[in-house]
Amino acid sequence: MISAADNLSQVIIAIADAMVALNAAFVKCKILHGNLSDQAIQFQKTADGVRGVLAEFDYAFYSGASPDATRAEAPELMLFWSIRSLERLAEPEELMAPSREYAQGPGTIFDDMESVLYTICVLGTFGINQAERDAYPNRPAGRPHIKLWNSSDVVTATKQKCLYMDTAERFYFEIAEKMAPGQLHNLAVEMHELLFLDPRCSGSLDKHGRCNPCNPRDPLVLHDPLVWRDGYVAEKVPAFLALMERHKREALVALSTTETTTAVGVKRSTGPSKKRKLKAAPETLTMKTRSMTGRAQSKN
């Protein structure tokens, strides 16, 4: 599992590798994962370093089809579900008209990509592994919003996700800023912008945070900020993969720097006296040379 990672850089690498596998399954086999979470992204240490593996395809389905309804029997997975996946479980009268039609449509790779964002938010909020969670047991105390994503009540869980994904400001200050600082935080902000803040996707709010007159916001019903986004798969998926690849490169550099620093630190602790002798040797030699030259000149 990804919780086997020792540090944040390894987590980023594992997520990026798993996303390559996700895209390969979609492009080559037209298969969607349907159950992405921190449990589905596996972490492995190899002779060449570390890598991520995408596992747990129990709820996978073909693109263009609807997800397996048996997912509803595992409510603990709702924490990572896309908004559309949650809306499928809601009653029709609880949804706005655009979302009602959209929610009943076939699943797409955007559902999996959205689940990746939620996975990153959870890891950045509650810790990347058990050791980190044990070291900071009170850290999740100020994270009530994400806790509500895991509500057994589908309407509550969906409304909470819609509420904090709608605008850049609300996501940043209520979700991202409550994550641990670092690369997961930065990745979450960039991924949210890529997935949710494109005004062409006809969300419930426009890019200025105002209500979209064509899709008026009603707090009493559910609404998906990503309605009509599926028309941009060819554009968004490559951008999503490029984003993950860039963060993977940064993680590899950070990991390499950490390993190099550790190795250099060991060398320094074993031989500082030799370095001091080497620095002193040229000065001593110069002084002796000058002394010999002076004596030779005095004899002449």
Side-chain angles (χ1 to χ4, degrees), residues 220-255:
L220 301 180
V221 294
L222 303 180
H223 59 282
D224 189 336
L226 297 179
V227 171
W228 318 130
R229 65 187 170 172
D230 293 343
Y232 303 100
V233 169
E235 173 187 336
K236 294 291 185 180
V237 173
F240 178 84
L241 294 173
L243 173 64
M244 295 303 307
E245 180 60 27
R246 175 165 59 81
H247 277 271
K248 178 182 177 179
R249 289 197 301 269
E250 293 176 6
L252 286 169
V253 170
L255 197 60

Side-chain angles (χ1 to χ4, degrees), residues 39-184:
Q39 302 295 314
I41 300 174
Q42 305 286 320
F43 171 82
Q44 292 182 348
K45 294 182 180 180
T46 67
D48 299 325
V50 298
R51 68 171 183 173
V53 177
L54 189 60
E56 298 192 5
F57 280 81
D58 299 13
Y59 296 99
F61 59 98
Y62 285 105
S63 175
S66 296
D68 189 344
T70 59
R71 288 200 311 169
E73 299 173 4
E76 69 277 3
L77 301 177
M78 291 184 184
L79 179 61
F80 306 98
W81 284 5
S82 69
I83 292 172
R84 174 161 59 177
S85 296
L86 289 169
E87 288 186 336
R88 284 194 179 94
L89 303 179
E91 296 298 328
E93 60 270 15
E94 295 174 324
L95 302 175
M96 293 179 66
S99 288
R100 187 183 308 129
E101 179 181 353
Y102 178 67
Q104 300 308 316
T108 73
I109 194 171
F110 278 112
D111 295 308
D112 284 341
M113 291 163 62
E114 191 178 334
S115 293
V116 176
L117 172 58
Y118 299 141
T119 299
I120 291 170
C121 291
V122 169
L123 290 172
T125 300
F126 296 98
I128 61 174
N129 52 38
Q130 193 58 50
E132 186 174 315
R133 293 165 190 166
D134 292 341
Y136 303 97
N138 297 322
R139 196 165 86 175
R143 321 306 201 249
H145 308 313
I146 289 184
K147 287 184 176 180
L148 288 174
W149 293 356
N150 205 27
S151 172
S152 58
D153 178 37
V154 174
V155 174
T156 298
T158 310
K159 281 185 175 180
Q160 287 299 314
K161 282 187 176 177
C162 291
L163 180 63
Y164 293 106
M165 293 292 150
D166 257 354
T167 66
E169 292 80 8
R170 190 174 288 119
F171 176 80
Y172 187 84
F173 290 109
E174 300 297 339
I175 302 298
E177 277 297 276
K178 292 178 171 56
M179 297 171 62
Q183 199 174 357
L184 275 180

Side-chain angles (χ1 to χ4, degrees), residues 288-300:
K288 288 182 178 180
T289 303
R290 288 174 179 172
S291 178
M292 292 172 65
T293 303
R295 286 198 297 271
Q297 290 176 349
S298 62
K299 288 181 180 179
N300 295 334

